[in-house]
C-alpha cells in the first residue's frame, strides 16, 4: 500500500508568515510522529500522537509550533510567525501500534525555507 | 538534542569494499535502529537490534550492539554505488520517539 505522504514537498515562506504542513500516515497506523531535521543533522523529535491524542509535545521549540490530528489520521503541523531558524526539513513518521519494537515509517519530508 | 555521535561523519570507499559506521549513545535503550536517507528523501528503516541482542544480520548488513559501551556498529559488505546515502542510528527507550545520531555520509565510488 501507499507509504507516508507529506505536502507540500517544498515551502518557501517570508519571515512572519504562517505555514501549515500536512502528513498522511499509512492507513491504520495508530502512532504519528513529527521530527525536524536541520541541514547536516539527524532528525529531532517534535511531537507524538496516538490516534487523535497528542501524548508528547516536549520537542516543540516554541509556542509558535502547533500540531493536530483531529480524526486520528491526517496530521497538520502549523508554524506561526515563521523565523529564519525554522528553516529545516520536517519529517512525519507513523507506526502501526505501541509496540516494544518501534519501527517507524517516514514520509519524504517538507523542506521549509524561511526568507 | 541528539542522542549521541556517529563516526566517521563522512566515509568514501570504492565499490566492492566494506563500510563500517559506528554509533554511540547516552541513555538506556529498548532497541537501536539504523536508517538510510538518500539526498532529499525520507528515512528508510534498515535493521533493528534489541537491547538483549549482540549481533544481527540482514542481507549485506551486519549490526552489532554493545550495551556496556553504549555503542553500535553497522557494517555494509560488498558496497555498491547505490549504497551512497546518509546513515543514521536511532535509539528507542522508554519514550515512544526515536532519538537520532548525527549521521554518517557514505559515498561509494564506482
Amino acid at each position: 500500500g501507499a507509504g507516508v505522504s507529506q505536502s507540500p514537498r517544498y515551502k518557501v515562506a517570508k519571515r512572519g508568515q504562517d505555514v501549515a504542513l500536512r502528513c498522511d500516515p499509512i492507513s491504520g497506523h495508530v502512532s504519528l510522529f513529527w521530527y525536524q531535521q536541520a541541514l547536516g543533522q539527524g532528525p529531532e523529535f517534535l511531537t507524538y500522537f496516538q490516534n487523535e491524542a497528542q501524548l508528547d509535545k516536549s520537542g516543540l521549540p516554541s509556542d509558535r509550533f502547533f500540531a493536530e490530528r483531529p480524526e486520528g489520521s491526517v496530521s497538520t503541523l502549523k508554524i506561526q510567525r515563521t523565523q529564519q531558524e525554522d528553516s529545516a526539513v520536517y519529517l512525519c513518521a507513523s507506526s502501526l501500534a505501541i509496540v516494544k519494537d518501534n519501527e517507524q515509517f517516514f514520509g519524504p519530508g517538507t523542506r521549509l525555507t524561511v526568507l | 538534542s541528539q542522542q549521541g555521535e556517529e563516526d566517521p561523519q563522512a566515509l568514501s570507499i570504492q565499490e566492492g569494499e566494506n563500510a563500517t559506521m559506528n554509533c554511540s549513545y547516552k541513555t538506556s535503550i529498548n532497541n537501536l535502529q539504523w536508517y538510510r536517507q538518500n539526498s532529499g528523501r525520507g528515512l528508510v528503516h534498515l535493521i533493528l537490534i534489541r537491547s538483549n541482542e549482540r549481533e544481527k544480520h540482514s542481507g549485506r548488513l551486519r549490526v552489532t550492539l554493545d550495551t556496556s559501551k553504549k555503542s553500535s556498529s553497522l557494517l555494509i559488505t560488498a558496497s555498491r554505488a547505490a549504497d551512497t546515502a546518509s546513515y543514521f542510528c536511532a535509539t528507542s527507550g522508554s519514550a515512544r520517539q526515536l532519538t537520532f545520531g548525527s549521521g554518517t555520509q557514505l559515498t561509494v565510488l564506482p
Side-chain angles (χ1 to χ4, degrees):
Chain A
V4 179
S5 61
Q6 292 186 246
S7 62
R9 290 291 314 278
Y10 303 91
K11 177 70 179 177
V12 178
K14 292 183 179 178
R15 190 174 56 175
Q17 267 187 319
D18 297 348
V19 298
L21 313 179
R22 177 187 169 109
C23 171
D24 284 82
I26 295 172
S27 178
H29 276 198
V30 168
S31 300
L32 186 146
F33 303 81
W34 284 98
Y35 294 85
Q36 180 190 58
Q37 186 176 21
L39 188 64
Q41 298 295 314
E44 294 203 1
F45 169 75
L46 293 177
T47 187
Y48 155 64
F49 291 86
Q50 182 179 335
N51 295 307
E52 68 277 5
Q54 188 175 22
L55 298 187
D56 189 340
K57 53 181 181 179
S58 62
L60 295 176
S62 78
D63 59 8
R64 296 185 296 103
F65 287 70
F66 171 77
E68 60 183 3
R69 194 186 185 198
E71 297 178 358
S73 179
V74 171
S75 178
T76 304
L77 176 67
K78 298 178 179 178
I79 309 173
Q80 297 176 323
R81 304 181 304 280
T82 52
Q83 304 294 314
Q84 285 188 319
E85 62 262 27
D86 300 334
S87 294
V89 175
Y90 291 85
L91 296 165
C92 175
S94 68
S95 65
L96 184 58
I98 306 302
V99 294
K100 187 177 180 181
D101 291 340
N102 183 22
E103 180 180 349
Q104 297 181 18
F105 297 83
F106 282 80
T110 294
R111 181 177 297 277
L112 172 65
T113 303
V114 181
L115 303 177
Chain B
S1 59
Q2 308 283 197
Q3 165 71 293
E5 296 298 319
E6 290 180 60
D7 78 88
Q9 289 187 339
L11 178 62
S12 184
I13 59 174
Q14 294 293 133
E15 209 165 23
E17 293 181 337
N18 296 341
T20 299
M21 289 160 269
N22 302 295
C23 165
S24 62
Y25 59 91
K26 297 175 182 174
T27 61
S28 61
I29 62 172
N30 288 330
N31 63 63
L32 185 143
Q33 304 174 39
W34 285 89
Y35 284 81
R36 183 186 72 219
Q37 185 176 40
N38 290 86
S39 179
R41 303 286 186 90
L43 292 107
V44 174
H45 182 266
L46 294 176
I47 193 167
L48 179 152
I49 185 166
R50 298 184 181 89
S51 59
N52 61 353
E53 297 175 316
R54 291 296 167 257
E55 186 171 315
K56 202 161 185 180
H57 297 255
S58 177
R60 294 185 295 114
L61 305 180
R62 172 178 166 247
V63 171
T64 62
L65 179 64
D66 186 336
T67 52
S68 67
K69 295 181 180 178
K70 291 187 168 56
S71 67
S72 173
S73 68
L74 171 68
L75 169 68
I76 303 174
T77 60
S79 62
R80 305 166 182 168
D83 294 330
T84 295
S86 293
Y87 291 82
F88 295 91
C89 67
T91 55
S92 176
S94 56
R96 303 303 178 190
Q97 65 266 27
L98 295 173
T99 303
F100 286 85
S102 51
T104 293
Q105 172 60 51
L106 173 66
T107 302
V108 181
L109 303 170

